[in-house]
Amino acid sequence: MKKRKVISLLLALATVFSLAACGAAPETPAAQPAEPPAAEQPAESAEITVTDLIGREVAVTPGSYRRVVCIGAGALRLYSYIGDVSLLCGVEDIENETLSERPKMFDSVARPYVLAYGEVFASLPSCGVGGPNAQSPEAEKILACEPDIVISLYGDADKANALQEQLGVPVVTLMTGPDSVFDESFSESLRLLGTIFEESDKAELLIGFVGSERAEIEARTAGIAEEDKPSVYICGLGNWGTTNHLMTAEDYVSFRVANVKNAVSGLGAPGAQPIEAEKFVSLGEDMDAMIFDAAAVKNIKPLYAEDPAMFDACRAWREGEAYLQLAYNAYYTNYEIALINTWFAAKIAYPDRFEDVDMTDVTNRVTAAFLGKPLAEEIFACPSSFGGYQKIDTATFFAGTQG
C-alpha cells in the first residue's frame, strides 16, 4: 500500500516538473465547425449492352448522353415521349417547319410532338432531310451535329452498323409494329429509351397509361352479343399520299380493342390495303357507320367532285352515319392519335356506353400523358384536322371548302 503511494507521489512530481519546463499548457482551442463534405457526385453509370428492336447488340452508358440525334420516320416522335428534347443537337428538315426547302407533305396535319416542341426543333441544325423519300441516313450531316448517340427508325441492320462505325457513337434502332400504340414492340421501344436515358419510370408510366386506357375501353364494350354489334367501315388508312375511301384494313386494331365489328372481311392479308370499287359497293348496305381517316380527305375530295354519287351505295352515308377521325399516320404513326381514335370508334359504335366521353377531354388527357401538354385545341386547329372529331355532314363535307 505504502509502495503504491510513493509511486503516485513520484508521478505527480514528474508532471509538475514537466509543466514547469515547458511553460503553461496552451488553452484548449474552441471547437471549429466541421468542414462541409464535398458535394457527392452521382456515380457514373457503367456501360451495358442492350439489344435494339432489330436485334443488334449495342454498348451504351445509360444517363451519359448530352447530344442526341433522331433519324427516320417516327424516331423523334418516340424520343419526345420519353427523352429530354433539350438534349437534341439536330433534327431532320421535315421536323423544322421554319425551313423553306424541305418535305412539306405533313405540314397541314396534326403531329402532336411537333405541336408540343416545334420551337425547339426549329432552333436546331439539320441532321438530314428526312421524309418518306429518305431511304438512308445522311452521315455527313449527322456528324456535323456532333451527337453522342443516335436514335434511329431505319430498319436495316447493316446500314445501322455501318453508320455506327462511321460516327463512332451508339446507333440504337427502335421499331413498333402493326398494332401501333397497342403493339408490344411499341412498349419495348419506350422501355429501351427509358433504359438509355435513365427514364425508366417515365416509360413505365406511359406504358401503364396505355394499358389502363385500353382496359377501360374493353371493359365498357365487354359482353356485347355479336348480333348486337354494328358493322363499321374504316377507310383512309395507309400512306398519306395514296390513301382514299377504298383503303381499309380487316385487322384494324382500334376496332379489335373497342370490340367493333369490321364491315370488311375476307381480304386474306393483314394491314392497310385497297379494295376493289365493286367490293366497296357490295359492302354498302351492311355499313351501319363509316369512319373516314382525315388523311384521305384531300384525295377523296376530287374523286367526289367527279362523282358525287360515289357513296350513295353506302347505307351509313345515306343515313348520315359518317364520321371523321384524325389522321394517325403522318411521318409514321401518331401513337397518341391512334389511342384517341380507338375511343372515338368505340363511341361511334356504342354511343350509349360512351355517352359521358367527350373527345376534347380524351384528347387532352392522352396528349398530356404522352407529351406533358394538353393539345386538343392545337390539334383540332390544324388544317387537315377539319376542326376535330365529328359527324360528317354528308351533303356538304366533301363538296364544300374543306381540305
Side-chain angles (χ1 to χ4, degrees):
M1 184 72 152
K2 192 181 286 186
K3 185 175 182 180
R4 273 191 222 147
K5 287 183 178 179
V6 171
I7 292 171
S8 297
L9 182 60
L10 290 172
L11 288 171
L13 288 170
T15 301
V16 170
F17 288 130
S18 174
L19 289 172
C22 298
E27 292 184 6
T28 303
Q32 297 297 315
E35 289 291 329
E40 291 187 11
Q41 297 298 321
E44 186 174 328
S45 297
E47 183 178 88
I48 63 173
T49 298
V50 297
T51 302
D52 70 10
L53 272 290
I54 56 173
R56 297 169 55 249
E57 292 189 346
V58 184
V60 298
T61 305
S64 68
Y65 302 106
R66 296 294 177 266
R67 296 183 64 81
V68 183
V69 157
C70 301
I71 57 173
L76 182 58
R77 181 188 282 107
L78 286 169
Y79 177 80
S80 297
Y81 296 155
I82 303 300
D84 181 350
V85 297
S86 71
L87 301 180
L88 294 167
C89 61
V91 295
E92 294 175 326
D93 295 350
I94 192 172
E95 314 284 22
N96 184 347
E97 294 188 340
T98 66
L99 300 178
S100 57
E101 296 297 324
R102 63 184 184 85
K104 298 180 180 180
M105 69 282 292
F106 301 119
D107 281 11
S108 69
V109 68
R111 286 185 288 160
Y113 70 109
V114 176
L115 295 173
Y117 299 120
E119 290 185 4
V120 176
F121 303 161
S123 69
L124 297 170
S126 171
C127 65
V129 175
N133 295 324
Q135 299 302 311
S136 297
E138 296 182 60
E140 289 186 8
K141 288 186 177 180
I142 297 171
L143 271 170
C145 295
E146 300 181 340
D148 52 19
I149 192 168
V150 173
I151 303 301
S152 172
L153 246 82
Y154 286 98
D156 188 310
D158 290 338
K159 287 183 179 179
N161 290 333
L163 181 64
Q164 182 169 278
E165 181 71 21
Q166 188 171 358
L167 299 178
V169 302
V171 174
V172 179
T173 305
L174 309 178
M175 285 288 151
T176 54
D179 284 348
S180 68
V181 70
F182 303 111
D183 203 286
E184 181 57 32
S185 58
F186 172 76
S187 298
E188 290 176 8
S189 287
L190 297 187
R191 287 194 174 102
L192 183 54
L193 287 170
T195 296
I196 293 169
F197 296 102
E198 292 191 332
E199 292 284 5
S200 291
D201 289 347
K202 188 175 183 180
E204 292 302 330
L205 192 65
L206 182 53
I207 292 166
F209 173 80
V210 173
S212 66
E213 294 283 297
R214 176 176 186 161
E216 183 175 353
I217 295 169
E218 290 176 334
R220 285 176 179 245
T221 60
I224 301 173
E226 194 64 26
E227 60 269 20
D228 294 331
K229 295 178 182 179
S231 177
V232 184
Y233 178 76
I234 178 70
C235 67
L237 306 180
N239 295 327
W240 181 261
T242 60
T243 189
N244 58 34
H245 63 294
L246 300 178
M247 190 73 76
T248 188
E250 180 180 351
D251 58 341
Y252 183 50
V253 65
S254 289
F255 282 7
R256 281 193 275 119
V257 170
N259 231 340
V260 173
K261 182 180 179 181
N262 198 324
V264 177
S265 62
L267 297 187
Q273 58 195 286
I275 60 174
E276 299 291 336
E278 293 78 7
K279 185 173 180 65
F280 174 76
V281 172
S282 71
L283 294 171
E285 285 303 320
D286 295 327
M287 295 181 194
D288 295 303
M290 57 196 309
I291 300 174
F292 293 85
D293 190 277
V297 173
K298 67 186 183 73
N299 292 329
I300 293 175
K301 191 176 177 185
L303 298 175
Y304 188 81
E306 294 175 9
D307 180 15
M310 63 187 293
F311 296 126
D312 287 351
C314 303
R315 180 165 54 83
W317 181 265
R318 298 195 307 268
E319 295 178 356
E321 290 298 317
Y323 298 85
L324 185 79
Q325 71 174 25
L326 296 191
Y328 79 96
N329 273 321
Y331 202 37
Y332 211 55
T333 303
N334 280 323
Y335 298 98
E336 63 287 289
I337 299 295
L339 176 55
I340 301 165
N341 285 352
T342 307
W343 278 100
F344 188 57
K347 184 175 175 66
I348 290 168
Y350 308 113
D352 293 344
R353 296 188 179 217
F354 290 83
E355 187 176 6
D356 62 317
V357 172
D358 178 84
M359 291 309 301
T360 299
D361 293 343
V362 172
T363 303
N364 280 330
R365 179 177 73 245
V366 172
T367 55
F370 275 72
L371 293 160
K373 304 176 182 182
L375 293 169
E377 183 176 355
E378 293 90 337
I379 289 171
F380 297 168
C382 289
S384 291
S385 293
F386 307 102
Y389 294 94
Q390 61 190 274
K391 177 180 277 193
I392 288 174
D393 183 340
T394 56
T396 64
F397 186 82
F398 288 112
T401 59
Q402 293 92 342

